[in-house]
Amino acid sequence: MSHATPAMKAPKTFGLLAEFGSPADVYHAAEKIRDAGYKKWDVHSPFPIHGIETAMGIGDSKLGWIAFFCACAGAFGGFSLQYWIHKHAYPLLIGGKPMVAYPAYVPVTFEPGILFTAFGCLLGMLVLNGLPRLYHPTFKSSNFKKFSDNGFFVSIESKDPRFNVESTRSFLQSIGARNIEVLED
Amino acid sequence: MILHRDDDPTKRPVLVESGDFHEVTQIISAPTETKFNLTWGILLLLSGSLLCLMLGLFGYLFWEGTGVWGVNVPVAWGWAIVNFVWWIGIGHAGTLISAILFLFRQRWRTAINRFSEAMTIFAVMCAGVFPAFHVGRVWVVYYIFPLPNQMSAWPNTRSPLFWDVFAVSTYFTVSVLFWYMGLIPDLATLRDRSVSKIRQMAYGIFALGWRGSARHWQNYERAYLILAAISTPLVLSVHSIVSFDFAVSKVPGWHTTIFPPYFVAGAVFSGFALVSTLLIIAREVFGLKQVVRLHHLDNMNKFMLLTGSLVGYAYAMELFIAWYSGSIYERFAFYHRALGDYWWAYASMVTCNVVIPQLFWFKKIRHSIPITFIITIFINIGMWFERFVIVITLHADFLPSSWGYYKPTWVDIWTYVGTFGLFGTFFLLFLKFLPQLAIAEVKGVMPEANPHHAHTAHH
């Protein structure tokens, strides 16, 4: 996060945390924050809010590409393993079947493809999200615990070029936020 | 993924009448936070004892050899494979409910998906122990995997038994990943609600620092969608491959092309039956009646009626093709199945799987919880007999001098009973320590979760 200036020692402001009343409120707030030109900010909710990515103006997930790459790697690996075993490593004649009996290779091509994709999805999701990360400045707020129950939050980071504690606070107030807190890094 | 919903309250997937997110959190977290539930304790004690019994019997088999089971030539597969196929079949509803119903946007799945995913994982564990010990020398069971070894020997990857190893182990792994992925946001909920340090640490570590970020949810939903999309062909492939263990052989009664779809239908059938059985018990014990509604059970009963009828069709078609093929071996195999030494198994199978589920045509029966419970038990028994009938076809093989009457030994019987202990122990631990329903998903399908809901409702 904050390896920018090693000289700084004093606790730095991470940003502002603000609460909203409902999925609809946070959705409309997100539209306004997007239109105000903020970039380093986030919405926190107990469940994914439909269409929030449009309201926030963030692009599409790259996860599909990771999954696709893993699927190809798994399937290729599965097929190659079988080809290598029968053609080179251990050519065992069974029932007069050809060594490269590719229709019989289908199951063990398909299954590793699926297996690798599944790992790609979970691990890819974690890598893209920067998880696991057991500590985060938002966790310092006791009010933030509600995010996993019925709370809807917006956090705006101080790294955002438009960020200013006072003006951002009053902007958040003007769009209906409550319980606005300053988060220390 | 948030599904498209309309705000008509009569069509709510509905879980909680008040439409309050906090109440959903409360209801679902409650079983993990209450001190001690006596019924749960007694059930755990019982399951734990059966688990010890199973471990003891596997220990005995380890010491003595596979001869303690009733398997012999020509019935070399016996109860071990019957139980394996039965348990793995049960494990199919989990992924079906999770993945296929998810892709078809069936919102009611949120009431049962976590539950059935857990059931899948534990059922596959129960299934796995049988072939592992059936190989004879369980201490070298790793030979089934293609691992480099000092003999430079490799498995024959053109064999259905090898495909089975890949199918079952992939299925288990993917099911675990899918389940865990769904759990991450809910573990964060339990972490944030915890009052003790230990709970907070335990749930916190597995929640991986989840903070409900919209940017994270976006990747999360995409990953979940892809997992659902790949699990659907996976679940169909797994039981198809299990059926290849039989269908690719040249044994009359096994060598049939109907096996893959017939096995898949049967697996879904038995899986739904066991989900129902367990759900009916759990909603009584843990007071989840507000969340698991009658119409969820009704939907599952309709699925059982459909798949039960498909299975019935498969039985009829097998008999027809055996006659129509004109092969005397094929005809004998089926004649002997239905009217031979094991006629009682065939009759039980048809009664439990084809006749009894037809009662689900009646709405009164679908809506009666005690009757549903009894029917699901019949289905579970019937599906066990189906696998028994198939495996036991071996007892009258090509050589009449080797024909005999296969009987299980006491070790066979009690090992099978013991696997219920394995299943029960894990399942009860799951019920107590993890959220039984997907908290985030249940909230996500409530009309109040729609960001455009407030306008239509309050203005």
Side-chain angles (χ1 to χ4, degrees):
Chain A
M1 275 260 92
S2 57
H3 354 89
T5 45
M8 279 175 71
K9 287 270 163 68
K12 212 178 92 195
T13 308
F14 170 76
L16 284 173
L17 182 71
E19 191 185 347
F20 289 85
S22 69
D25 290 348
V26 82
Y27 183 90
H28 297 304
E31 289 174 327
K32 288 171 190 146
I33 299 167
R34 173 197 66 195
D35 295 342
Y38 285 96
K39 294 281 175 243
K40 295 266 178 198
W41 63 290
D42 216 336
V43 169
H44 305 265
S45 57
F47 49 82
I49 297 169
H50 191 53
I52 193 78
E53 57 277 7
T54 326
M56 288 174 71
I58 51 181
D60 200 13
S61 170
K62 289 176 189 65
L63 197 97
W65 292 105
I66 298 178
F68 178 72
F69 175 77
C70 289
C72 295
F76 178 77
F79 190 91
S80 317
L81 174 78
Q82 299 179 80
Y83 181 86
W84 176 77
I85 286 175
H86 291 305
K87 193 77 183 172
H88 302 288
Y90 198 58
L92 191 62
L93 189 65
I94 295 164
K97 288 179 206 159
M99 289 303 163
V100 186
Y102 60 87
Y105 291 180
V106 170
V108 184
T109 303
F110 174 77
E111 302 292 342
I114 297 285
L115 185 68
F116 277 49
T117 314
F119 275 106
C121 283
L122 181 68
L123 301 178
M125 184 273 285
L126 294 176
V127 169
L128 291 177
N129 290 349
L131 295 175
R133 183 177 171 192
L134 298 185
Y135 169 73
H136 192 266
T138 48
F139 294 153
K140 277 196 177 161
S141 157
S142 58
N143 190 38
F144 186 70
K145 281 190 193 260
K146 276 198 288 183
F147 93 83
S148 62
D149 179 10
N150 58 355
F152 301 88
F153 294 87
V154 163
S155 62
I156 301 184
E157 294 179 30
S158 60
K159 278 191 293 183
D160 193 292
R162 292 182 166 270
F163 183 86
N164 171 292
V165 176
E166 291 318 313
S167 67
T168 304
R169 182 197 289 271
S170 52
F171 168 65
L172 283 168
Q173 263 160 357
S174 74
I175 59 172
R178 49 187 206 214
N179 301 333
I180 302 174
E181 292 174 65
V182 179
L183 295 172
E184 305 267 279
D185 206 354
Chain B
M1 164 146 305
I2 291 292
L3 313 168
H4 177 72
R5 70 188 70 74
D6 36 58
D7 288 333
D8 179 359
T10 56
K11 287 190 182 161
R12 276 186 185 188
V14 198
L15 305 166
V16 179
E17 268 147 9
S18 72
D20 177 14
F21 299 127
H22 182 63
E23 201 179 336
V24 174
T25 315
Q26 288 284 15
I27 293 175
I28 305 175
S29 312
T32 70
E33 289 163 354
T34 46
K35 276 266 178 287
F36 185 73
N37 179 327
L38 188 66
T39 324
W40 179 83
I42 294 169
L43 288 171
L44 186 68
L45 194 69
L46 188 71
S47 302
S49 317
L50 288 176
L51 173 61
C52 291
L53 176 72
M54 185 201 87
L55 294 173
L57 288 170
F58 277 129
Y60 177 56
L61 182 139
F62 186 84
W63 185 257
E64 283 290 320
T66 338
V68 299
W69 281 348
V71 288
N72 211 331
V73 172
V75 186
W77 279 11
W79 271 41
I81 301 303
V82 175
N83 299 339
F84 161 69
V85 182
W86 186 77
W87 273 118
I88 202 117
I90 279 173
H92 276 58
T95 309
L96 187 96
I97 289 168
S98 285
I100 299 181
L101 297 184
F102 178 80
L103 296 178
F104 282 104
R105 304 284 189 265
Q106 297 295 307
R107 293 170 293 170
W108 60 275
R109 85 185 250 291
T110 54
I112 49 174
N113 74 318
R114 171 67 47 74
F115 215 81
S116 42
E117 285 163 28
M119 197 192 76
T120 290
I121 293 168
F122 309 140
V124 175
M125 283 163 57
C126 293
V129 297
F130 286 105
F133 278 86
H134 190 260
V135 298
R137 294 175 195 159
V138 69
W139 53 93
V140 288
V141 76
Y142 57 85
Y143 280 0
I144 61 176
F145 293 106
L147 298 171
N149 54 68
Q150 77 279 19
M151 299 174 291
S152 297
W154 292 88
N156 174 23
T157 73
R158 295 160 301 186
S159 156
L161 297 177
F162 182 78
W163 306 342
D164 209 17
V165 171
F166 267 71
V168 174
S169 52
T170 299
Y171 187 55
F172 180 73
T173 316
V174 174
S175 302
V176 171
L177 296 180
F178 196 39
W179 189 60
Y180 179 62
M181 179 110 129
L183 273 168
I184 293 172
D186 293 358
L187 291 171
T189 301
L190 293 183
R191 171 196 68 197
D192 295 341
R193 286 172 62 84
S194 50
V195 283
S196 77
K197 194 78 191 162
I198 298 172
R199 270 182 78 88
Q200 193 187 19
M201 297 266 284
Y203 289 118
I205 287 169
F206 289 102
L208 306 175
W210 183 259
R211 54 181 189 274
S213 152
R215 293 164 200 273
H216 292 183
W217 275 122
Q218 192 194 22
N219 291 321
Y220 177 91
E221 286 192 88
R222 183 60 54 85
Y224 201 84
L225 176 67
I226 296 172
L227 270 179
I230 60 167
S231 297
T232 304
L234 175 66
V235 71
L236 300 179
S237 82
V238 173
H239 226 62
S240 298
I241 291 176
V242 169
S243 83
F244 289 160
D245 292 345
F246 299 89
V248 178
S249 74
K250 288 190 180 127
V251 177
W254 285 9
H255 188 67
T256 57
T257 50
I258 201 175
F259 262 31
Y262 154 40
F263 268 50
V264 171
V268 172
F269 182 48
S270 66
F272 266 88
L274 197 70
V275 173
S276 252
T277 313
L278 295 174
L279 208 56
I280 289 170
I281 299 172
R283 72 198 281 278
E284 291 293 333
V285 176
F286 291 98
L288 293 171
K289 286 179 196 167
Q290 283 161 285
V291 187
V292 182
R293 295 302 195 80
L294 197 59
H295 90 268
H296 299 132
L297 296 174
D298 183 44
N299 281 353
M300 297 217 285
N301 289 343
K302 286 177 186 162
F303 256 96
M304 281 183 249
L305 178 60
L306 171 72
T307 47
S309 306
L310 283 173
V311 166
Y313 167 80
Y315 296 159
M317 190 48 70
E318 272 190 326
L319 293 177
F320 170 75
I321 294 293
W323 166 77
Y324 189 65
S325 71
S327 155
I328 54 166
Y329 300 102
E330 197 72 14
R331 279 185 184 181
F332 170 77
F334 282 92
Y335 176 81
H336 199 65
R337 255 187 206 178
L339 301 168
D341 296 335
Y342 291 96
W343 67 269
W344 49 270
Y346 195 86
S348 314
M349 169 186 95
V350 173
T351 313
C352 295
N353 290 348
V354 186
V355 180
I356 292 175
Q358 297 303 317
L359 291 171
F360 282 145
W361 284 107
F362 303 102
K363 194 171 180 178
K364 268 213 168 108
I365 289 180
R366 288 202 309 272
H367 282 222
S368 158
I369 291 174
I371 299 181
T372 301
F373 186 77
I374 294 166
I375 295 178
T376 60
I377 300 279
F378 270 115
I379 294 172
N380 283 311
I381 296 172
M383 285 309 293
W384 189 88
F385 273 113
E386 180 194 300
R387 280 61 177 256
F388 180 78
V389 164
I390 293 169
V391 169
I392 219 66
T393 306
L394 287 171
H395 89 280
D397 69 348
F398 298 100
L399 202 62
S401 64
S402 63
W403 293 7
Y405 194 81
Y406 165 82
K407 274 198 205 112
T409 63
W410 66 274
V411 184
D412 275 304
I413 296 167
W414 288 104
T415 306
Y416 173 57
V417 174
T419 51
F420 286 92
L422 173 65
F423 183 85
T425 306
F426 278 98
F427 203 76
L428 287 162
L429 292 173
F430 153 70
L431 291 179
K432 183 77 186 101
F433 295 106
L434 292 171
Q436 299 174 6
L437 299 145
I439 305 176
E441 273 188 61
V442 168
K443 288 175 190 163
V445 295
M446 283 161 65
E448 292 76 11
N450 190 330
H452 307 298
H453 169 259
H455 299 283
T456 48
H458 302 305
H459 293 278

